[in-house]
Amino acid sequence: MADSLSSGLGEEQEKENEDRERDGMAAKTEKNNEKDRVTDTLRSNDKNGGSNDKKRNLSDLSLVRFITTELTRGYFLEHNEAKYTERRERVYTCLRIPKELEKLMTFGFFLCLDAFLYVFTLLPLRVILALLRLLTLPCCGLGGSRLLQPAQVCDVLKGFIMVLCYSMMSYVDYSMMYHLIRGQSVIKLYIIYNMLEVADRLFSSFGQDILDALYWTATEPKEKKRAHIGVIPHFLMAVLYVFLHAILIMVQATTLNVAFNSHNKSLLTIMMSNNFVEIKGSVFKKFEKNNLFQMSNSDIKERFTNYILLLIVCLRNMEQFSWNPDHLWVLFPDVVMVIASEVAVDVVKHAFITKFNDISADVYGEYRASLAFDLLSSRQKNAYTDYSDSVSRRMGFIPLPLALLLIRVVTSSVKIQGSLSFMCVLLFYLGMITLKVLNSILLLGTSCGFVKEANMEEKLFNPPPSVVSSRANSRAHRTKHVHISPQQEPTIEKGGISVAAEVSPPPSVAESSVPTLPKSDSDTFLTTPDGDEDEKIINADTGLEGLEQRTPKKDLLEIDRFTICGNRID
């Protein structure tokens, strides 16, 4: 019975499957028939109505219809609103660049002027006070361990460098150099001027290092092991550098003077057109905020140096024409052309750099705040550098060679005879001191305003980054082989919260202490995302990996490099 039932069910299932297959085949045949009918009707329509379609296509392709379509064609800009809004913001940024750039340039110009006037006004007085202290010290007795303070030692060294270099510059004949350069061809003078610009940048990049090495060698705490060649060799190197750099600037000023006095002004035109070549070399490169800051400082230094060179050219020309005021109006158009070309090149260059790199015009306010921070930190009690040296490091502007050249030109151009002349010189010196004091007061007031706007007051009370890093490195060397207990694990302070570093070194290996820098919320100011790479600290004795610490982002306040090569992109 079971077999008969199962066989019956199997036969029924087979019948159902056969019915389904027959229905599927019928549906497929119907679809194929419909497709054949559609193709037949299309072919018949093509054969019957082909001539009508051709006539219709020819009428659609008429010239009048095409012109009508082009004249009445429309489009909607709101469909791409984000793109056009961004383009409009770029235009507004380019329009804001001249104003913001000139604010930065003006502030930087007065910073350079303050450092430049310092050499003529306060530096001689500080040298005299240091020498008086040195002379009166045997009478007063040794009140302390130092004969002179480090700042006084640096001032005395600067004074001796200026005196020796001035005596060496007195043997250089300016008129002979002028006629020697004037006898060259226009193309040769153009090449010479370009070479002088490159040489000036190279001298500036290495000059402050030489001066800093001299200052540190003379004021370094005495140790048993001597790690330098001595103060006298460093002093001779500094004297040689200042003298050569002053000669180089003198040749540059003489070449510019020859261009001013040329009859057809072709040399001056070629030299000014050379500034526009700078646009080609810098606009189409990738720039970050730090690189743009370096280039801005370089432009400030270059503009101030050009102003001093123009002053030297005017003094030399006025001397040749017996100080006739009418000749000053002859030089005035050329001076205006030089200044206008410098301003135009800087504006165009910065406008397109910010456009191509999507940098806002507000970044120049950050640059002003950074320069103002340098000024205020150099006025504190715990300052680690003089203000003029701080400007030299930040902008690549070294005032000693330029001041030496200006003194040489003024003393050779102006003859001092009689008591009345000495009184005029004294009054002029007092006027320079007054100008220096007023300029310093105004700079301090504006700098306080810039620092407050940037919320950087907290950083003024923290030690400089270089001092912190040097202390951290010395502490790391001292505690290199000291075992740290779990209770003495290094901590990182961030935002006022102390976080213990979770490290589990092997008990058999001595731990090396890893100094950490305190960071606050203001440390994120003026930074650019230059990549968050992990830095692994390797134990010097065992070669094992210790702590992994993130490298901090580059801060504009920590840039202590010369900006005369600011167009170089790392």
Side-chain angles (χ1 to χ4, degrees):
M1 291 292 294
D3 295 337
S4 61
L5 289 173
S6 60
S7 61
L9 293 173
E11 291 177 357
E12 291 179 357
Q13 290 178 356
E14 289 177 358
K15 290 179 180 181
E16 291 178 357
N17 293 332
E18 289 177 358
D19 294 337
R20 291 175 183 173
E21 291 177 358
R22 289 173 185 173
D23 295 337
M25 293 295 293
K28 288 181 180 179
T29 53
E30 289 179 359
K31 289 182 181 179
N32 293 330
N33 293 332
E34 289 178 357
K35 288 181 181 179
D36 294 338
R37 291 171 186 172
V38 171
T39 53
D40 291 339
T41 53
L42 291 174
R43 288 174 183 175
S44 62
N45 290 332
D46 291 338
K47 291 179 181 180
N48 297 328
S51 58
N52 296 329
D53 293 337
K54 289 180 180 179
K55 293 179 180 179
R56 191 178 303 150
N57 292 333
L58 291 175
S59 63
D60 292 341
L61 294 178
S62 64
L63 181 61
V64 176
R65 185 178 180 83
F66 176 76
I67 295 176
T68 305
T69 304
E70 289 294 322
L71 292 176
T72 58
R73 182 172 56 88
Y75 50 88
F76 300 94
L77 298 181
E78 60 266 18
H79 291 169
N80 201 353
E81 181 180 356
K83 176 182 177 181
Y84 289 104
T85 304
E86 181 184 359
R87 296 297 174 87
R88 185 173 60 188
E89 292 298 328
R90 287 184 181 180
V91 174
Y92 293 163
T93 300
C94 290
L95 293 178
R96 288 180 57 196
I97 288 300
K99 180 181 177 181
E100 298 295 331
L101 178 63
E102 289 306 314
K103 286 182 179 179
L104 175 65
M105 288 290 178
T106 304
F107 183 69
F109 172 81
F110 284 105
L111 291 179
C112 293
L113 180 64
D114 192 67
F116 190 65
L117 291 176
Y118 172 81
V119 180
F120 298 99
T121 56
L122 298 184
L123 181 61
L125 298 179
R126 290 175 63 94
V127 172
I128 292 174
L129 291 177
L131 292 178
L132 288 176
R133 172 183 169 82
L134 194 61
L135 292 175
T136 57
L137 198 59
C139 300
C140 300
L142 294 175
S145 60
R146 293 177 181 267
L147 296 177
L148 294 175
Q149 296 297 323
Q152 293 177 330
V153 174
C154 295
D155 293 334
V156 171
L157 290 175
K158 290 178 184 178
F160 285 161
I161 289 173
M162 292 292 292
V163 171
L164 289 177
C165 290
Y166 178 77
S167 61
M168 295 168 64
M169 287 284 292
S170 61
Y171 295 99
V172 180
D173 192 355
Y174 187 90
S175 59
M176 184 185 69
M177 183 183 297
Y178 176 82
H179 291 290
L180 181 64
I181 294 176
R182 189 174 185 179
Q184 308 300 323
S185 61
V186 174
I187 300 300
K188 189 179 292 186
L189 287 178
Y190 172 72
I191 297 174
I192 290 174
Y193 191 77
N194 289 336
M195 293 173 60
L196 291 174
E197 285 187 347
V198 176
D200 180 51
R201 295 189 176 190
L202 295 178
F203 267 85
S204 298
S205 65
F206 193 56
Q208 190 62 37
D209 292 339
I210 294 176
L211 296 176
D212 286 340
L214 171 64
Y215 302 153
W216 175 240
T217 305
T219 60
E220 184 181 10
K222 305 301 180 181
E223 296 180 357
K224 295 181 180 179
K225 185 178 179 180
R226 182 174 175 178
H228 55 81
I229 60 177
V231 179
I232 296 179
H234 279 285
F235 180 76
L236 296 178
M237 289 171 58
V239 170
L240 182 62
Y241 155 71
V242 174
F243 175 72
L244 292 179
H245 199 178
I247 293 293
L248 187 143
I249 300 175
M250 177 182 284
V251 177
Q252 194 173 1
T254 307
T255 308
L256 188 62
N257 194 8
V258 171
F260 267 71
N261 295 330
S262 59
H263 297 289
N264 53 2
K265 306 294 182 183
S266 59
L267 178 59
L268 185 62
T269 305
I270 293 174
M271 290 168 60
M272 292 306 101
S273 64
N274 185 42
N275 294 331
F276 291 89
V277 181
E278 186 180 355
I279 298 177
K280 178 182 177 183
S282 58
V283 164
F284 301 104
K285 292 182 179 179
K286 180 177 175 56
F287 275 83
E288 298 291 341
K289 288 172 61 178
N290 293 341
N291 302 118
L292 184 59
F293 181 47
Q294 294 177 359
M295 193 181 69
S296 301
N297 291 331
S298 178
D299 292 338
I300 293 171
K301 175 254 180 183
E302 182 181 359
R303 186 177 294 189
F304 184 82
T305 305
N306 288 334
Y307 289 161
I308 301 299
L309 292 180
L310 290 175
L311 177 61
I312 293 173
V313 169
C314 292
L315 288 175
R316 296 299 301 177
N317 279 275
M318 293 296 291
E319 180 199 3
Q320 296 299 322
F321 287 88
S322 301
W323 299 96
N324 186 8
D326 295 334
H327 185 67
L328 188 61
W329 296 106
V330 178
L331 298 173
F332 184 73
D334 297 333
V335 173
V336 172
M337 186 181 72
V338 173
I339 296 175
S341 65
E342 287 287 336
V343 174
V345 167
D346 291 339
V347 167
V348 173
K349 180 175 63 176
H350 284 265
F352 281 96
I353 286 176
T354 52
K355 176 184 181 297
F356 291 149
N357 295 276
D358 294 331
I359 301 176
S360 175
D362 297 331
V363 73
Y364 294 100
E366 299 179 8
Y367 297 161
R368 290 199 307 270
S370 180
L371 296 177
F373 183 87
D374 289 341
L375 173 61
L376 295 180
S377 20
S378 65
R379 304 286 180 175
Q380 290 184 335
K381 294 182 179 180
N382 59 348
Y384 63 97
T385 182
D386 186 63
Y387 169 66
S388 59
D389 295 331
S390 177
V391 173
S392 301
R393 293 185 187 94
R394 179 70 75 180
M395 299 182 183
F397 171 68
I398 304 177
L400 293 183
L402 199 59
L404 178 65
L405 177 61
L406 187 59
I407 294 173
R408 172 70 174 82
V409 171
V410 170
T411 53
S412 62
S413 301
V414 180
K415 303 299 181 182
I416 302 175
Q417 296 177 352
S419 58
L420 183 61
S421 299
F422 283 101
M423 289 296 297
C424 292
V425 171
L426 180 60
L427 291 176
F428 182 75
Y429 179 71
L430 293 176
M432 290 182 64
I433 292 180
T434 306
L435 179 62
K436 169 69 173 64
V437 172
L438 291 177
N439 188 33
S440 300
I441 293 173
L442 290 176
L443 284 177
L444 283 173
T446 53
S447 299
C448 291
F450 291 151
V451 170
K452 287 182 180 179
E453 289 178 2
N455 297 323
M456 299 171 62
E457 299 94 333
E458 297 179 0
K459 288 189 175 184
L460 288 174
F461 303 100
N462 295 332
S466 58
V467 176
V468 176
S469 59
S470 62
R471 290 177 181 175
N473 292 332
S474 62
R475 192 182 301 113
H477 286 293
R478 287 198 304 267
T479 59
K480 187 174 180 181
H481 302 285
V482 179
H483 179 73
I484 301 177
S485 61
Q487 291 79 11
Q488 296 177 346
E489 291 181 351
T491 58
I492 302 175
E493 297 179 1
K494 185 173 182 180
I497 302 174
S498 178
V499 181
E502 298 179 358
V503 184
S504 57
S508 60
V509 180
E511 294 182 6
S512 62
S513 66
V514 181
T516 56
L517 304 182
K519 295 185 67 177
S520 61
D521 294 336
S522 60
D523 291 337
T524 59
F525 183 75
L526 297 178
T527 57
T528 53
D530 292 328
D532 296 330
E533 299 179 357
D534 293 334
E535 184 184 65
K536 295 184 178 180
I537 301 175
I538 309 299
N539 193 316
D541 297 333
T542 61
L544 298 177
E545 294 183 359
L547 296 176
E548 292 187 1
Q549 184 178 6
R550 281 190 178 274
T551 58
K553 297 179 180 179
K554 293 181 180 179
D555 198 325
L556 293 181
L557 300 178
E558 297 177 2
I559 297 176
D560 196 16
R561 304 297 302 166
F562 279 97
T563 60
I564 33 83
C565 298
N567 293 338
R568 183 192 65 204
I569 305 301
D570 298 330

